[in-house]
Amino acid sequence: VMAVADFIGIIASIILGYMVSKRMLKPIDDITKTAENISINNLKERIEAKGPDDELNRLIKTFNKMIDRLQGAFNKQVQFVSDASHELRTPITVIQGYANLLDRWGKDDREALEKSIYAIKLEAANMAKLIEELLFLARGDSGRQLIEKEEFLINELIDEVVMESKLIDKNHEISNNKNDSAKISADYKMIKQMLRILIDNSIKFTPKDGTIDI
């Protein structure tokens, strides 16, 4: 009787253990299947957290948060590529146009040669500035923008940015008549970037031949 009871008990224990272990391991199986379904084109998969707040549930929540971060990073990357492509298309087209002009007439026409060289240099400078701005935004979005403080004269920086703006923009009168000397402690490159953006916006929204005073 004891042998039969032991045999029945062992069989029952195996069946019960299998059922319990399968039920306990189902969330892990769900995590595995979801991980297999996730790809660069499918970051919408999530695991539904059920039952008590135990270790497995916390693992599921951690996994879902990790996928959320991956999706956010991927979306920012797609947006950055889209912005860069859109913004760089115009200067590249202008450079190609003037390069073709040089190829056709530049060898014989001195005026066309000088005009093309000036335009290509200007658009190349604009592209360099644009790339710097895009990288600045990308580093800011990813939290990798480092602040490097130093002491410098803000009035000298303003003079420098205004002079650069005058060289680039010939359609407005840009001045800085009042520019008192002042020393600040800040990130030189970031302050310069901010000043450039302010002047660029002023140029964009000021009528032709208008005055911009910094």
Side-chain angles (χ1 to χ4, degrees):
V1 171
M2 287 179 66
V4 171
D6 286 346
F7 179 75
I8 294 171
I10 290 169
I11 297 298
S13 297
I14 291 171
I15 294 171
L16 186 63
Y18 173 76
M19 291 172 65
V20 170
S21 63
K22 189 174 181 181
R23 184 184 178 111
M24 289 179 65
L25 294 174
K26 188 177 183 305
I28 296 176
D29 190 46
D30 290 341
I31 293 174
T32 304
K33 288 178 180 176
T34 303
E36 288 173 351
N37 290 332
I38 289 172
S39 68
I40 197 68
N41 297 317
N42 178 30
L43 290 171
K44 295 180 180 177
E45 293 280 341
R46 298 293 184 275
I47 304 167
E48 188 179 352
K50 297 179 181 177
D53 187 23
D54 54 10
E55 286 80 3
L56 279 175
N57 246 347
R58 288 196 289 273
L59 175 62
I60 290 170
K61 289 175 182 175
T62 303
F63 181 83
N64 287 339
K65 286 178 182 177
M66 180 189 72
I67 301 302
D68 287 339
R69 289 194 297 271
L70 282 174
Q71 187 172 21
F74 181 70
N75 290 341
K76 286 179 181 177
Q77 181 185 2
V78 170
Q79 185 63 46
F80 176 78
V81 172
S82 174
D83 291 344
S85 302
H86 175 73
E87 295 291 342
L88 291 172
R89 190 179 295 121
T90 301
I92 288 172
T93 304
V94 172
I95 287 172
Q96 285 175 336
Y98 277 104
N100 292 332
L101 182 66
L102 272 174
D103 188 44
R104 277 188 234 157
W105 313 106
K107 298 168 187 174
D108 305 316
D109 190 334
R110 182 72 183 178
E111 185 181 349
L113 175 64
E114 290 179 357
K115 184 179 178 182
S116 298
I117 290 173
Y118 173 78
I120 288 171
K121 286 172 68 177
L122 182 63
E123 291 302 326
N126 287 338
M127 282 177 62
K129 187 173 74 170
L130 182 60
I131 290 168
E132 188 180 333
E133 288 174 358
L134 289 168
L135 291 173
F136 173 80
L137 291 172
R139 287 194 294 268
D141 286 342
S142 63
R144 293 186 291 110
Q145 183 67 50
L146 298 177
I147 307 295
E148 298 177 358
K149 285 189 175 184
E150 58 180 296
E151 284 196 352
F152 60 92
L153 291 169
I154 185 69
N155 54 297
E156 291 182 357
L157 175 58
I158 291 171
D159 286 337
E160 181 184 335
V161 176
V162 168
M163 184 180 66
E164 290 174 359
S165 302
K166 285 179 178 179
L167 291 173
I168 295 170
D169 180 61
K170 301 294 184 181
N171 296 320
H172 299 90
E173 184 184 340
I174 302 173
S175 61
N176 57 326
N177 296 315
K178 185 177 180 181
N179 191 16
D180 297 335
S181 177
K183 184 177 282 188
I184 65 168
S185 176
D187 189 304
Y188 185 89
K189 291 180 181 178
M190 292 179 73
I191 296 294
K192 187 173 184 178
Q193 186 73 19
M194 181 192 70
L195 289 169
R196 279 177 173 173
I197 292 168
L198 285 171
I199 295 176
D200 285 346
N201 283 336
S202 300
I203 291 169
K204 189 184 296 181
F205 296 107
T206 301
K208 189 177 178 180
D209 298 324
T211 300
I212 300 167
D213 187 56
I214 310 299

